[in-house]
């Protein structure tokens, strides 16, 4: 009896090793974009205990929860949320403006906008930059900013997220959005726009900034401080 | 005596301080919302005197997930007592990546509705009398660089987004003729920063990047 059990475990281990080997050979030199687009036709993360038929969903609907490393093989594959019976198709064309907008709207939480924090919106931006060109993502960002201008949470999160990117990487959309936010009647959003210019630390932006002055006295004080800072320390 | 330092998320949440020093029941809800408690405690950092502010800056920012300019309020412990509040050293709840700095972590303890209001009043009064302390990114980078040089902070142990931002900012500075960090950054640290710059260029979001090789083929 014990011999049979032992054989059975070995079989499982052998199968798993073979699977790992197979994956390693195929995927060792890829990045995720390549992974989704060209390699994976179907990836089945199937819970063997479940009797349900696997449900097929696209990347658009999938939610990456973690990238568990495959021990000994020094690379990772994404693990998707939703359930344990997912088939992920190769279709990255599903990464669209609507996907981007909805994902940002879903995760934008104003309480995450705390100095030093990394927000869920930043993660969406980061994922989008992996899957699409920089120009396209910035264009989407611009569009979301306009379409969702009534949402303080979304606007605050976008301003906060772009303030953590390099000025050159978000130019010209980033500073344009921040300039736009300076006219927002909400004083906290104006404060976040000023914070973005401060974080970018670009002398290039001084010429835009000097043509403007916030209405609110606290923001005015900050504004003057940031212009002085950029003149003294800007790149 | 001694002072306690607390980070302000948004100065606008405390805007009342410019015009009035409100009674406890007149304080804006946004100010109170900023004082999010855990176990009825508020986290602060202890410094001996206001000139030691960099100690609090280091304790705070080394635990950050992003490089950001910050705003601080500094109040002395005697004043805290006058407001009926108590601070207690609390190493076990400290979140900092600066070695040996957990001991500077103090909690303002036993907070309830009334005491939270008193704390908001204290912050309001302090901002009114002494103003807010602005700490820009350039200064934070300098403080963190110095801490790396002094082996108080291990670059590799910082959050990956903070590392990315820090490496990019320091390397930009080192390329400048009038670099402010050249005298602080040693060759081994520069090596770590250059490695990080390479990682910044890769296309992966893998949180296991330290032992994940997938990005190398990108």
């Amino acid at each position: 009896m014990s011999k049979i059990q032992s054989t059975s475990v070995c079989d499982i281990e052998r199968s798993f090793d073979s699977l790992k080997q197979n994956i390693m050979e195929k995927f060792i030199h890829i990045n995720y974009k390549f992974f989704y687009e060209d390699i994976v036709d179907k990836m089945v993360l199937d819970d063997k205990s479940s009797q349900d038929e696997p449900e097929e969903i696209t990347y658009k609907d999938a939610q990456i929860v973690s990238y568990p490393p495959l021990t000994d093989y020094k690379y990772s594959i994404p693990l998707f949320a939703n359930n344990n019976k997912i088939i992920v198709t190769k279709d990255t064309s599903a990464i669209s403006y609507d996907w981007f907008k909805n994902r940002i709207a879903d995760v934008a939480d104003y309480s995450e906008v705390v100095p030093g924090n990394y927000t869920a919106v930043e993660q969406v931006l980061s994922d989008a930059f992996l899957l699409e060109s920089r120009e396209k993502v910035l264009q989407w960002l611009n569009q979301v900013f306009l379409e969702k201008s009534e949402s303080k949470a979304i606007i605050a999160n976008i301003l906060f997220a772009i303030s953590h990117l390099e000025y050159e990487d978000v130019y010209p959309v980033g500073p344009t959005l921040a300039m736009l936010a300076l006219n927002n009647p909400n004083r906290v959003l104006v404060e976040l726009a000023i914070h973005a210019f401060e974080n970018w630390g670009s002398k290039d932006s001084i010429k835009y900034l000097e043509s403007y002055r916030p209405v609110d006295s606290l923001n005015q004080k900050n504004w003057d401080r940031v212009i002085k800072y950029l003149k003294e320390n800007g790149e | 005596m001694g002072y306690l330092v607390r980070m302000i998320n948004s100065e606008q949440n405390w805007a009342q301080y410019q015009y009035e020093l409100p009674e406890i029941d007149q304080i804006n809800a946004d100010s109170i919302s900023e004082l999010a408690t855990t176990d009825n405690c508020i986290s602060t950092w202890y410094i001996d005197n206001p000139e030691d502010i960099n100690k609090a800056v280091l304790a705070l920012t080394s635990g950050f997930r992003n490089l950001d300019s910050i705003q601080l309020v500094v109040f002395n412990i005697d004043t805290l007592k006058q407001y009926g509040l108590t601070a207690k050293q609390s190493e076990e709840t400290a979140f900092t990546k600066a070695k040996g700095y957990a001991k500077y972590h103090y909690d303002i303890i036993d907070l309830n509705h009334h005491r939270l209001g008193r704390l908001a009043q204290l912050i309001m009064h302090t901002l009114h009398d002494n103003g807010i302390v602005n700490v820009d990114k350039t200064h934070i980078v300098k403080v963190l660089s110095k801490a790396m040089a002094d082996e108080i902070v291990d670059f590799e142990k910082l959050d990956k987004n903070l590392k990315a931002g820090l490496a990019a900012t320091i390397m930009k500075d080192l390329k400048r003729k009038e670099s402010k960090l050249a005298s602080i950054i040693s060759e081994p640290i520069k090596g770590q920063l250059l490695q990080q710059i390479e990682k910044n260029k890769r296309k992966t979001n893998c949180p296991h990047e330290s032992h994940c090789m997938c990005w190398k083929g990108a």
Side-chain angles (χ1 to χ4, degrees):
Chain A
M1 186 66 185
S2 68
K3 193 176 177 185
I4 292 168
Q5 277 182 337
S6 167
T7 307
S8 169
V9 170
C10 283
D11 281 343
I12 292 167
E13 281 178 355
R14 253 198 305 278
S15 308
F16 188 57
D17 278 348
S18 154
L19 173 68
K20 283 202 289 188
Q21 184 64 33
N22 194 9
I23 293 173
M24 186 190 76
E25 283 167 4
K26 285 184 178 171
F27 302 148
I28 190 103
H29 290 308
I30 58 166
N31 65 9
Y32 291 126
K33 183 169 181 170
F34 190 39
F35 178 87
Y36 291 122
E37 283 182 345
D38 300 324
I39 299 292
V40 180
D41 283 327
K42 284 188 173 181
M43 178 181 164
V44 183
L45 297 175
D46 192 0
D47 180 355
K48 299 295 179 198
S49 63
S50 167
Q51 296 305 308
D52 298 334
E53 280 299 306
E55 173 193 356
E56 186 161 328
I57 60 170
T58 63
Y59 181 84
K60 187 176 75 169
D61 301 318
Q63 220 183 343
I64 300 170
V65 287
S66 69
Y67 299 79
L70 288 182
T71 316
D72 300 333
Y73 291 102
K74 297 184 187 299
Y75 61 92
S76 309
I77 56 169
L79 178 67
F80 293 88
N82 298 27
N83 50 45
N84 51 16
K85 48 186 173 51
I86 291 173
I87 296 174
V88 179
T89 67
K90 65 182 180 197
D91 186 13
T92 50
S93 62
I95 308 297
S96 62
Y97 170 66
D98 283 339
W99 171 85
F100 182 75
K101 181 177 73 177
N102 294 336
R103 192 53 74 88
I104 284 189
D106 286 347
V107 302
D109 178 355
Y110 180 67
S111 68
E112 285 192 348
V113 180
V114 175
N117 195 19
Y118 180 78
T119 65
V121 168
E122 286 179 71
Q123 186 62 56
V124 174
L125 256 180
S126 177
D127 286 343
F129 276 123
L130 281 181
L131 297 159
E132 264 302 347
S133 67
R134 173 186 160 277
E135 290 72 20
K136 180 72 94 41
V137 176
L138 289 179
Q139 184 198 320
W140 287 350
L141 204 55
N142 205 350
Q143 211 172 328
V144 174
F145 199 88
L146 293 173
E147 286 183 23
K148 297 284 184 184
S149 59
E150 79 291 350
S151 165
K152 182 183 172 186
I154 292 177
I155 300 304
N157 264 283
I158 289 177
L159 289 170
F160 189 65
I162 58 176
S163 81
H164 295 143
L165 298 171
E166 293 293 312
Y167 184 75
E168 305 78 43
D169 291 343
V170 286
Y171 184 86
V173 171
T176 308
L177 296 184
M179 288 300 287
L180 198 60
L182 289 172
N183 292 309
N184 198 296
N186 189 309
R187 289 176 307 183
V188 174
L189 294 181
V190 176
E191 188 183 29
L192 281 166
I194 298 171
H195 176 79
F197 282 111
E198 182 179 7
N199 263 0
W200 287 326
S202 169
K203 270 191 173 145
D204 181 59
S205 53
I206 295 174
K207 58 179 180 276
Y208 315 122
L209 303 187
E210 284 188 323
S211 63
Y212 174 85
R213 193 157 172 81
V215 181
D216 169 69
S217 59
L218 210 53
N219 281 331
Q220 272 177 19
K221 188 190 76 176
N222 253 327
W223 188 249
D224 293 340
R225 181 184 60 78
V226 168
I227 290 181
K228 186 167 177 273
Y229 165 70
L230 294 177
K231 283 180 177 171
E232 286 170 5
N233 296 285
E235 297 284 340
Chain B
M1 166 124 139
Y3 292 78
L4 295 177
V5 180
R6 165 91 185 163
M7 187 173 79
I8 296 289
N9 294 347
S10 160
E11 192 178 6
Q12 285 291 350
N13 289 341
W14 300 91
Q16 265 180 308
Y17 84 79
Q18 300 175 98
Y19 318 107
E20 56 180 338
L21 293 174
E23 291 302 315
I24 201 161
D25 57 351
Q26 300 295 319
I27 294 170
N28 284 341
D30 283 347
S31 310
I32 302 290
S33 296
E34 261 221 16
L35 300 172
T37 59
T38 305
D39 295 332
N40 299 322
C41 296
I42 286 275
S43 170
T44 62
W45 292 93
Y46 175 88
I47 52 175
D48 289 327
N49 56 66
E51 288 72 45
D52 285 343
I53 191 87
N54 285 349
K55 210 159 69 176
V57 170
L58 176 59
L60 259 171
T61 58
S62 62
F64 273 9
R65 299 186 67 200
N66 253 323
L67 194 53
D68 252 327
S69 56
I70 53 172
Q71 296 182 305
L72 306 171
V73 59
V74 183
F75 41 85
N76 76 41
I77 290 184
D78 289 345
T79 316
L80 192 79
K81 286 174 191 161
Q82 287 165 22
Y83 278 75
L85 302 165
T86 312
K88 187 183 162 198
Q89 189 179 25
S90 170
E91 278 190 57
E92 64 282 1
T93 55
F95 183 69
T96 180
K97 292 185 179 173
K99 282 175 220 157
Y101 273 53
K103 66 181 177 219
Y104 301 124
H105 186 251
Y106 274 61
D107 275 331
I108 299 172
I109 58 168
D110 298 333
L111 290 169
N112 53 29
H113 184 199
H114 177 74
R115 289 192 191 123
L116 205 57
R118 290 294 282 160
L119 177 59
Q121 267 189 320
L122 167 61
I123 293 176
M124 210 73 89
H125 286 204
T126 310
L127 290 176
H128 182 267
D129 294 345
N130 306 330
I132 206 159
V133 178
N134 288 291
V135 188
D136 58 57
K137 228 171 83 167
T138 308
H139 187 78
I140 293 170
V141 170
K142 201 170 172 182
V143 168
L144 287 170
S145 299
K146 176 92 173 45
M148 289 193 289
D150 295 343
E151 296 182 0
I152 297 169
V153 164
D154 180 352
F155 179 75
E156 293 303 334
K157 289 189 177 157
L158 299 176
D159 182 272
K160 68 169 188 169
N161 295 300
L162 180 62
K163 281 201 289 187
L166 202 53
T169 312
I170 295 175
M171 291 315 292
K172 256 188 195 174
D173 175 89
L174 292 180
K175 283 177 190 162
R176 291 168 66 169
K177 270 187 189 170
E178 69 284 17
S179 167
K180 292 169 181 165
L181 303 172
S183 59
I184 301 174
I185 300 293
S186 65
E187 280 306 312
I189 293 173
K190 199 173 168 184
Q192 288 179 313
L193 297 171
L194 286 169
Q195 267 186 351
Q196 183 60 45
I197 294 288
E198 282 307 306
K199 284 184 188 175
N200 290 359
K201 290 177 190 164
R202 86 211 182 288
K203 272 205 147 197
T204 179
N205 261 359
C206 178
H208 303 288
E209 61 188 90
S210 56
H211 53 274
C212 172
M213 306 295 281
C214 59
W215 55 272
K216 286 210 160 172

